[in-house]
Amino acid sequence: MVDKKSPLPMYYQIEEDLKQRITNQEFKTSDMIPSERELSETFEVSRMTVRQAITNLVNEGVLYRVKGKGTFVAEEKIEQPLQGLTSFTEDMKTRGMEASSKLLTFEKMSAPLDITRKLQLNEGDEVYKIQRVRFADQKPMAVETNFLSAAMFPELDEQTVLGSLYNYIEKTQKQPIGKAHQMIEATIADENQAELLDIPVDSAILSIERHSTLADGTPFEVVRSSYRADRYKFISDIYRT
Ligand code: 16G
C-alpha cells in the first residue's frame, strides 16, 4: 500500500510495492499484473502515476509490456559474477542453459590502429574480426565482436567460432588463458543492436570491453560485448582490507 503523507513519490512507492509482491511470489515470472485501471483503484492514485511506476519497472527489466495484452513479470536477471575469467559457453553451462551463437562476421583484416596497440601487434598485422550473437536457450543475450591476432590462430575457421572460442584457444595454445582487463559502461541499443537482441531501440545495454592475455602475458583478444541490461546484472564481492 502507499502512504500519501510520505515524502517518497507515489510512483516510487508503487514500484516498491510491486517489486515486493514479485519477491513474495504473489506475481510470478510471466504472470500478468493488474491493469493500470485496477492498480489506480487499488492504490487510489491517478492512472498517470501508475503508468509512471510501470514504465520505470519496464525500463529496469522487472516488467515487460505486450501490445494489446498487458504487462507481465519478466524473468529474473542472470547474475554474472565479475570475479572469474569465464567464457559465455561456460557461464551458460553453469546455469544449466544451452549456449549457441549466430555468426554475423568472420573476416581477416588489417588490424585497426587501436586494436594493433591493444594486441601489441605491428602496423599492418592481421586480425580476425568475429561478430556473434550469443544465445542462452535460444534467447539472444549479447552481441560480441572479437578481434584476435591472426598469426596466433592460423587455423581458426567459421565452424570453430560457432562453438567456444576459449575452448579452442586453450586446446591450441601452449599457454592457458591467464587474465583479462575489463571495462563496463552503460549505453543504449541502436537499431542494429535492438534488432539482433530482440529489444526495443534505446533499451539499456551493458557494454563491456575485455582485453585478455595468455598466462605468459601475450595479449590474444580484444572483445566488445553488448549485453542486454534487462537480462543481466553483474555482481561482485568486495572486501574492506
Ligand atoms: C565471454 C567474454 C568474451 C569471450 C567469450 C568467449 C564477457 C563480457 N565476454 O562472452 O570476452 O570472448 O566469452 O566465449 O564475458 P566462448 O568461449 O563461448 O566463445
Side-chain angles (χ1 to χ4, degrees):
M1 277 301 117
V2 295
D3 174 4
K4 293 204 167 155
K5 290 200 203 84
S6 160
L8 294 170
M10 299 297 260
Y11 67 82
Y12 179 79
Q13 293 187 51
I14 296 172
E15 282 172 46
E16 291 299 301
D17 184 276
L18 291 174
K19 277 188 190 167
Q20 193 59 53
R21 293 209 234 164
I22 293 170
T23 310
N24 295 346
Q25 299 265 302
E26 194 182 318
F27 299 136
K28 300 195 181 70
T29 304
S30 304
D31 278 359
M32 187 163 84
I33 63 157
S35 68
E36 277 179 16
R37 188 181 48 78
E38 287 169 303
L39 290 173
S40 75
E41 279 166 14
T42 315
F43 291 113
E44 297 175 336
V45 295
S46 74
R47 276 176 74 158
M48 271 238 310
T49 306
V50 169
R51 192 166 309 150
Q52 169 82 64
I54 291 178
T55 301
N56 290 349
L57 293 176
V58 168
N59 291 340
E60 247 186 78
V62 177
L63 299 174
Y64 63 95
R65 289 192 173 106
V66 180
K67 256 207 186 115
K69 290 216 169 113
T71 306
F72 299 82
V73 178
E75 261 178 89
E76 251 185 273
K77 292 187 191 182
I78 290 178
E79 293 195 348
Q80 177 66 44
L82 283 170
Q83 282 91 343
L85 173 44
T86 53
S87 73
F88 184 82
T89 306
E90 288 164 345
D91 291 341
M92 292 309 120
K93 204 178 248 173
T94 316
R95 300 190 174 87
M97 297 168 109
E98 194 203 336
S100 59
S101 301
K102 178 177 171 192
L103 188 56
L104 304 173
T105 311
F106 183 87
E107 61 174 308
K108 215 186 221 184
M109 61 190 276
S110 180
L113 211 61
D114 61 323
I115 302 293
T116 304
R117 192 168 38 81
K118 288 170 182 168
L119 287 177
Q120 293 172 15
L121 300 173
N122 296 313
E123 222 176 291
D125 282 354
E126 291 195 307
V127 285
Y128 290 105
K129 179 179 176 186
I130 302 159
Q131 214 172 5
R132 300 179 290 176
V133 184
R134 313 301 309 261
F135 298 85
D137 286 346
Q138 271 81 53
K139 293 203 187 105
M141 292 289 152
V143 185
E144 281 191 339
T145 307
N146 289 60
F147 291 93
L148 296 169
S149 155
M152 277 175 87
F153 308 101
E155 284 170 13
L156 192 64
D157 59 21
E158 304 195 7
Q159 200 50 43
T160 306
V161 299
L162 280 172
S164 168
L165 200 54
Y166 277 14
N167 187 25
Y168 175 78
I169 291 169
E170 303 221 279
K171 273 206 317 231
T172 54
Q173 301 297 303
K174 292 195 184 76
Q175 294 280 324
I177 293 170
K179 68 168 196 174
H181 179 66
Q182 196 160 275
M183 290 145 280
I184 305 176
E185 59 185 325
T187 56
I188 53 171
D190 61 23
E191 266 179 45
N192 182 41
Q193 289 170 322
E195 196 184 325
L196 294 170
L197 293 172
D198 194 20
I199 51 174
V201 175
D202 288 344
S203 305
I205 294 268
L206 295 158
S207 288
I208 305 165
E209 182 162 318
R210 184 186 278 192
H211 303 168
S212 321
T213 52
L214 298 178
D216 66 358
T218 313
F220 69 90
E221 69 165 358
V222 172
V223 195
R224 298 190 178 123
S225 315
S226 304
Y227 276 76
R228 288 175 57 157
D230 63 333
R231 298 295 297 114
Y232 263 85
K233 62 168 96 156
F234 291 97
I235 55 164
S236 61
D237 293 319
I238 48 179
Y239 300 91
R240 186 169 163 92
T241 48

